[in-house]
Amino acid sequence: MSERTVVLLGELAAKDHPVVEIVHRVGARPLGVSDWEKAPEVLRRSDLLCAIFPSTMRGYESFCVEARSELSGDDLPLITVVPTTWDPQLERLFMFSIDDYVSEENVASLEPKLLALGRGNPWTNLNPESGRVIVADPDRSRRLLFGRMLRRKGLGVDFAADKDEVSKVAAKAEDVKLVIAAASLPPSGAADAIEFCQTRGDSIGLTPWIVTGETEELETFNTAAPTSAAMRLFNHDDPPESLLFLVNDLLA
C-alpha cells in the first residue's frame, strides 16, 4: 500500500509493542500518541488508515466521540485491542462506534485487517440502501458488531434475538436480501428457524442465510439444515471482515 499512517494510542504507542511491528510489516507508518487529548489534531490528518487503541485506555469513550465529530471522522476506522475474544466490554465499545477489534491473544490477526483496509472498499458494487439484512443473534455484542459493519457498507439492518422475532421482522421489513443468524438461535437453533419460515411461507424462507457459530454449533446445524435455501457458514473464530465477503458473495 502507498504509505499511510496508523495512529496508535495509549500503551500501543510504545515502540516495542507488537502492534508497531505489524503496522511496519504492512507498509504503513505508525504514529504513537500516548495521550490523544494533548494532540487532537492527529485526527485531522489526511493520510490516516485507521486508529487503534486498547480497550483499557482511560477515556476511550471521549476519544471515540471526538473522532466521529471530525468532518471525515465517520469514515475513520476505529479498531480496539481487547484482552480476549468476545470480551464483555465489546458491547460498550461498539456502542461508541468502533469498527473492529483484535484480542491480545491473537494480535497477529490485525495484519490482514490492515491489509484489507489498505486495499480500499471491496463493496464498491453496493449502492446505499442496497437492501436490508436481518441480524438474528441472542448475543447483543455480536448484533452490534455485525450491524455496524453492514450499515457502513450501505445496507439497512434489522435485529432479532429469536425465531419469532425473525418472522415478525420479516413480515414488516421490505426488500430483505439476507439473514445472518446464530446457529444457536433460540429456542431451537437456526435450522429450525429456517424451516419455520419456509413452512409459514415467509418471504425469507428462501432468502440466503449466513449461519454463524462455533465449530461444534456449525457442525450440528449442518446435519439438520434444510437444503432448499442458499446458505453459508461463518465461524466465530474467523476475522469479522470475512463475514462481509460472504455477504458480498451472496448478494452478487
Side-chain angles (χ1 to χ4, degrees):
M1 68 177 73
S2 58
E3 194 168 52
R4 302 280 297 280
T5 296
V6 175
V7 176
L8 303 178
L9 299 163
E11 65 191 50
L12 306 184
K15 292 183 179 180
D16 60 347
H17 197 284
V19 169
V20 175
E21 179 184 347
I22 292 172
V23 173
H24 280 302
R25 200 155 59 225
V26 301
R29 178 193 304 109
L31 175 59
V33 180
S34 57
D35 185 353
W36 71 271
E37 291 180 312
K38 294 180 178 178
E41 66 276 4
V42 72
L43 298 176
R44 294 189 282 273
R45 293 176 63 106
S46 61
D47 63 340
L48 294 185
L49 181 65
C50 67
I52 309 174
F53 65 93
S55 63
T56 54
M57 184 176 77
R58 184 177 179 181
Y60 74 77
E61 297 95 339
S62 298
F63 166 73
C64 291
V65 171
E66 185 71 20
R68 295 304 183 210
S69 68
E70 290 295 323
L71 184 61
S72 60
D74 193 48
D75 296 325
L76 175 64
L78 299 180
I79 301 175
T80 189
V81 179
V82 295
T84 60
T85 303
W86 301 115
D87 187 279
Q89 195 178 0
L90 279 169
E91 181 173 330
R92 182 168 177 79
L93 286 158
F94 280 111
M95 286 175 60
F96 281 90
S97 75
I98 68 165
D99 297 283
D100 207 345
Y101 67 96
V102 296
S103 70
E104 294 175 0
E105 304 166 324
N106 186 25
V107 73
S109 65
L110 177 64
E111 184 169 348
K113 297 177 190 292
L114 296 181
L115 288 171
L117 285 174
R119 287 193 294 267
N121 183 2
W123 288 73
T124 51
N125 60 318
L126 289 180
N127 296 318
E129 290 299 329
S130 300
R132 305 196 67 79
V133 176
I134 296 175
V135 178
D137 198 306
D139 188 302
R140 188 168 185 268
S141 295
R142 279 196 291 270
R143 292 200 303 270
L144 287 169
L145 166 63
F146 296 155
R148 177 156 179 78
M149 289 194 304
L150 294 167
R151 281 172 174 155
R152 283 179 64 84
K153 305 309 176 185
L155 290 157
V157 181
D158 294 293
F159 295 111
D162 58 34
K163 177 179 72 176
D164 288 338
E165 287 189 6
V166 171
S167 185
K168 290 177 183 177
V169 169
K172 297 178 181 179
E174 296 182 359
D175 198 25
V176 175
K177 300 290 189 182
L178 184 70
V179 180
I180 299 174
S184 59
L185 187 71
S188 305
D192 177 66
I194 296 172
E195 187 174 353
F196 175 75
C197 291
Q198 291 178 340
T199 301
R200 280 172 51 98
D202 289 349
S203 60
I204 61 170
L206 297 178
T207 295
W209 288 59
I210 295 177
V211 178
T212 73
E214 307 295 339
T215 301
E216 290 184 3
E217 292 175 326
L218 295 177
E219 289 174 351
T220 300
F221 167 81
N222 236 355
T223 62
T227 59
S228 52
M231 282 176 284
R232 299 287 190 276
L233 303 182
F234 174 77
N235 195 304
H236 287 163
D237 290 334
D238 293 335
E241 67 268 16
S242 298
L243 181 75
L244 297 178
F245 288 100
L246 290 178
V247 173
N248 199 28
D249 177 52
L250 287 170
L251 292 183

